[in-house]
Amino acid sequence: MRTDSSPGTLPAREHLPATDAGTPVLDVVIPVYNEEKDLQPCVRRLHEHLERTFPYAFRITIADNASTDTTPQVAARLEAEIAEVSTFRLEQKGRGRALRTVWSASDAPILAYMDVDLSTDLNALLPLVAPLISGHSDLAIGSRLARSSRVVRGPKREFISRSYNLILRGSLQARFSDAQCGFKAIRRDVAQALLPMVEDTGWFFDTEMLVIAERAGLRIHEVPVDWVDDPDSTVHIVRTATEDLKGVWRVGRALATGSLPLDRIARPFGDDPRDREIQDVPKGLTRQLVGFCVVGGLSTLFYLLLYSVFRQFGGSQVANALALLVSAVANTAANRRLTFGVRGTGGAVRHQAQGLVVFGIGLALTSGSLAALDTASSDPAHSTELAVLIAANLAATVLRFLLFRAWVFPERRESTVVASHQPTPTPTPSSPSHAPQYPTRPLPHAPLPQRPTAPQYAYDTQIRAGEAADQTWRDATVQLQPVRPSDNTPGASR
């Protein structure tokens, strides 16, 4: 349940709008550190695959993580030889830092990354990004642990990978199957809202990103991949595993305390069917009933324990009132967070005050039951008192749930958000050819363009380092354009 009255910052997912302009649809980032041997064959193989199979404009960005060998020279040579390749140099190490910086500065609507060893078969690349282009999903990941995946690797890495994902499922309730596969993609508008919330700058970066996205209700698409282990990988397994476990602890603590502003990346009404007001279908009723029953059962045990303790020092009425008061405060706090999903401290005092009113009703019901028992028997047995209290509490529990749902934590009705689209002014001929045109308003809907009949467009692949440094964000809606010839064009090179 969302706790704010305003919709989230992300628009409803839609098929990417498109016009004839020089912005690539896909930007594939390859983070590298001292990869002078593997970089050139990797980039050429990826470029050949994209040119042959990807129907829209693309860019390959080499993100150099402070390499100390000849990797920068190799990257510069590739950039000079291949029009769709650009390079970006960072003076600090860290895969997460490289991805954050390059993704923040990119103007492509679909952002992806893959490891330089190309362990993942490239035939999974188009299925990876297609759901993002269509508007079906927000993020996409390759999974080596899916049933239809075909993986070749040693038992040590297999054990570590499965153990790590098991830890994520047990500690952070992650539902995605493979957090560590170096083959992921994200929509740019989602990245703009999500990246500032991700703290890690190393190998835990994408795991943290996935956990936050999943908890915020974003849709993550998984693609089974064919994957072959790279025996020459330079990843330090023990150090990486240690840092990952520290990251799991940090993110788990943030989720438990509610310090992550997940509502910041919530989507507005109309995108998630669970947010729609449908007649005669109470929203979230089943989940709330389950949560309320669990909290209620634990609260009842807590109440009976307190009553037994307080009964040793006073009469039944005093013991009942004190036990019910303490357990009611705990019950309201638990239901507020676990049953009705209210996060943060906003409205907590008001909720507790309303909870005390509900407590008063329960007190009257249980105290009346005890008074009736005392009238019927001058010295009832302790077990009889407990039985009467259990029955009274069951009745009070049903009433408490109804009051909580209808009065204390009512469902907020979110207004429908209607997106308006206005055309972006066409760049004038006087505009410099090297300066990409960034639209400042949403574009009208149009089908994604197909390949033109002759090569007639070009685009610049320079990443703006200043924008990455100060984290200035551009508008998430961008213009897309194919750049290669048709299969039927005579003499077209592939």
Side-chain angles (χ1 to χ4, degrees):
M1 173 181 176
R2 293 175 186 160
T3 60
D4 59 346
S5 58
S6 61
T9 59
L10 291 179
R13 286 188 299 266
E14 296 177 350
H15 195 292
L16 289 177
T19 59
D20 291 334
T23 303
V25 176
L26 173 66
D27 192 350
V28 182
V29 180
I30 304 177
V32 294
Y33 173 73
N34 290 348
E35 297 287 355
E36 58 185 2
K37 295 182 179 180
D38 295 335
L39 181 57
Q40 178 167 310
C42 160
V43 171
R44 292 192 180 278
R45 178 182 163 196
L46 174 60
H47 179 266
E48 186 276 334
H49 176 84
L50 287 171
E51 191 176 50
R52 177 170 50 85
T53 64
F54 196 69
Y56 314 117
F58 64 87
R59 175 193 299 142
I60 300 173
T61 302
I62 303 170
D64 180 15
N65 293 271
S67 295
T68 57
D69 60 1
T70 62
T71 296
Q73 289 74 26
V74 176
R77 186 165 60 251
L78 290 168
E79 182 179 31
E81 295 175 358
I82 305 175
E84 292 85 3
V85 174
S86 66
T87 64
F88 191 94
R89 167 81 177 179
L90 291 91
E91 299 303 327
Q92 292 179 292
K93 292 178 60 177
R95 183 183 67 172
R97 180 180 288 107
L99 291 177
R100 185 203 310 277
T101 304
V102 177
W103 281 356
S104 300
S106 179
D107 55 354
I110 304 299
L111 309 170
Y113 94 89
M114 61 181 61
D115 294 334
V116 69
D117 55 15
L118 295 187
S119 295
T120 304
D121 184 75
L122 293 178
N123 286 324
L125 183 55
L126 186 55
L128 183 80
V129 301
L132 308 186
I133 294 176
S134 69
H136 175 270
S137 302
D138 300 296
L139 301 91
I141 65 173
S143 175
R144 299 162 298 183
L145 303 180
R147 290 184 180 275
S148 57
S149 298
R150 293 176 291 188
V151 177
V152 177
R153 61 177 169 181
K156 179 180 178 180
R157 282 183 174 268
E158 180 78 11
F159 174 78
I160 292 175
S161 179
R162 292 189 178 274
S163 298
Y164 178 67
N165 285 281
L166 185 61
I167 291 173
L168 291 181
R169 288 175 175 269
S171 60
L172 301 179
Q173 287 78 51
R175 295 189 297 274
F176 48 85
S177 64
D178 191 353
Q180 293 177 307
C181 183
F183 196 72
K184 296 181 176 69
I186 185 173
R187 288 174 65 103
R188 179 172 176 263
D189 57 343
V190 176
Q192 287 181 326
L194 188 58
L195 292 182
M197 301 174 62
V198 181
E199 296 183 14
D200 192 80
T201 59
W203 292 95
F204 187 70
F205 170 85
D206 40 355
T207 299
E208 183 174 357
M209 179 181 68
L210 290 173
V211 170
I212 295 175
E214 187 177 69
R215 286 299 186 96
L218 302 184
R219 175 173 287 161
I220 301 174
H221 177 74
E222 294 198 14
V223 178
V225 298
D226 298 341
W227 194 85
V228 179
D229 188 17
D230 179 15
D232 298 324
S233 174
T234 58
V235 178
H236 193 286
I237 296 179
V238 176
R239 182 170 62 246
T240 301
T242 302
E243 294 300 321
D244 286 348
L245 292 177
K246 291 180 180 179
V248 170
W249 168 257
R250 175 175 54 79
V251 173
R253 183 176 56 184
L255 292 172
T257 58
S259 60
L260 282 172
L262 299 179
D263 288 341
R264 183 184 302 170
I265 52 177
R267 288 194 178 277
F269 171 86
D271 187 46
D272 189 337
R274 295 170 298 181
D275 289 340
R276 299 173 188 169
E277 298 294 340
I278 303 176
Q279 187 176 5
D280 299 328
V281 181
K283 185 167 64 176
L285 179 60
T286 302
R287 179 186 59 79
Q288 291 177 357
L289 276 173
V290 173
F292 185 82
C293 290
V294 173
V295 172
L298 296 176
S299 297
T300 300
L301 294 177
F302 184 50
Y303 162 79
L304 293 175
L305 176 63
L306 290 176
Y307 178 82
S308 299
V309 173
F310 293 148
R311 190 68 173 83
Q312 305 298 320
F313 306 99
S316 60
Q317 293 289 3
V318 175
N320 175 64
L322 290 176
L324 197 56
L325 176 61
V326 175
S327 61
V329 172
N331 181 274
T332 300
N335 276 308
R336 181 177 187 271
R337 176 65 180 87
L338 301 177
T339 303
F340 298 97
V342 180
R343 301 180 176 89
T345 58
V349 176
R350 175 174 57 84
H351 292 155
Q352 283 293 348
Q354 292 173 312
L356 289 178
V357 174
V358 178
F359 150 75
I361 297 175
L363 176 63
L365 184 58
T366 53
S367 296
S369 300
L370 285 175
L373 179 62
D374 290 337
T375 301
S377 176
S378 58
D379 188 21
H382 182 64
S383 58
T384 304
E385 285 184 348
L386 292 181
V388 170
L389 287 174
I390 290 174
N393 266 284
L394 288 176
T397 297
V398 175
L399 182 60
R400 185 182 303 118
F401 176 76
L402 296 176
L403 290 175
F404 273 176
R405 180 176 172 83
W407 180 48
V408 184
F409 307 108
E411 293 284 355
R412 296 183 180 274
R413 297 185 181 273
E414 300 175 358
S415 58
T416 303
V417 177
V418 180
S420 61
H421 298 279
Q422 300 180 9
T424 300
T426 304
T428 60
S430 60
S431 300
S433 60
H434 64 277
Q437 300 296 321
Y438 292 93
T440 57
R441 291 173 294 181
L443 299 172
H445 288 289
L448 281 176
Q450 302 302 315
R451 297 176 178 174
T453 56
Q456 53 185 330
Y457 301 107
Y459 58 87
D460 179 71
T461 58
Q462 178 181 4
I463 295 290
R464 296 191 172 186
E467 293 179 1
D470 59 14
Q471 293 187 358
T472 55
W473 305 103
R474 295 287 183 178
D475 191 282
T477 306
V478 296
Q479 299 177 341
L480 317 178
Q481 168 198 332
V483 296
R484 293 189 310 286
S486 169
D487 293 334
N488 300 324
T489 303
S493 61
R494 299 298 296 164

